[in-house]
Amino acid sequence: MARDLFHNIVRSALEKDGWMITDDPLSIRCGGVDIQIDLGLEKLLAAEKGTEKIAVEIKNFVSASKISEFHTALGQFINYRTALRTEDPERILYLAVPSLIYHDFFNLPFTQIVVSENNLKIIVYDIEKEEIIAWKN
């Protein structure tokens, strides 16, 4: 499986944010299809609440066509979310995108409409600092 350019940066940023990597990649078999999501993670919450589980699909948006990459990312997100709802319903899916792309491309009116209509959950990460900047639900 080919890793995204910023895979290790996002992994490091999530670990700094208190997340424990449980799967790299997270493999799921759903309806006869094998799916690999970039990362599976857990975070211990307050003792009475247990753990929070997430899956993260990492995207870098480095090609010349941001809209083409967005189409691919959106399709993956929808398919992966469906597989998780079926096979691992406690796990919430996030799309990780670099802060520069988020503040530029993801602030366009069209992109905002698509994100809202498809209920995309987004993690914004800083490439240079290897940090999570924001969680967009």
Side-chain angles (χ1 to χ4, degrees):
M1 178 174 124
R3 291 185 180 225
D4 287 282
L5 181 63
F6 302 133
H7 182 95
N8 289 332
I9 289 172
V10 174
R11 181 183 167 124
S12 173
L14 287 163
E15 288 174 324
K16 286 181 188 177
D17 205 45
W19 290 91
M20 181 179 72
I21 309 297
T22 58
D23 302 274
D24 184 0
L26 174 62
S27 298
I28 298 174
R29 183 156 180 82
C30 181
V33 176
D34 292 321
I35 294 173
Q36 291 193 326
I37 303 170
D38 289 323
L39 295 171
L41 305 102
E42 289 184 0
K43 190 174 201 176
L44 184 62
L45 302 173
E48 65 276 358
K49 292 187 180 184
T51 58
E52 182 177 359
K53 294 181 178 183
I54 64 171
V56 177
E57 182 61 19
I58 302 163
K59 293 298 170 205
N60 51 44
F61 289 89
V62 294
S63 79
S65 177
K66 303 296 181 250
I67 193 68
S68 180
E69 284 195 62
F70 183 63
H71 291 317
T72 300
L74 177 63
Q76 284 180 304
F77 188 92
I78 291 168
N79 291 336
Y80 294 174
R81 181 175 58 197
T82 299
L84 285 171
R85 285 180 179 159
T86 303
E87 301 300 323
D88 195 353
E90 292 180 359
R91 200 175 292 271
I92 297 168
L93 180 63
Y94 285 87
L95 181 67
V97 299
S99 59
L100 292 174
I101 297 300
Y102 183 80
H103 294 299
D104 179 26
F105 181 77
F106 278 77
N107 275 326
L108 296 174
F110 174 78
T111 313
Q112 289 180 344
I113 291 167
V114 173
V115 165
S116 177
E117 285 185 0
N118 290 282
N119 195 28
L120 267 67
K121 297 183 181 311
I122 299 172
I123 297 171
V124 182
Y125 62 92
D126 184 299
I127 297 165
E128 301 298 320
K129 295 179 182 175
E130 293 189 13
E131 292 178 352
I132 302 302
I133 303 299
W135 295 79
K136 302 292 184 176
N137 293 314

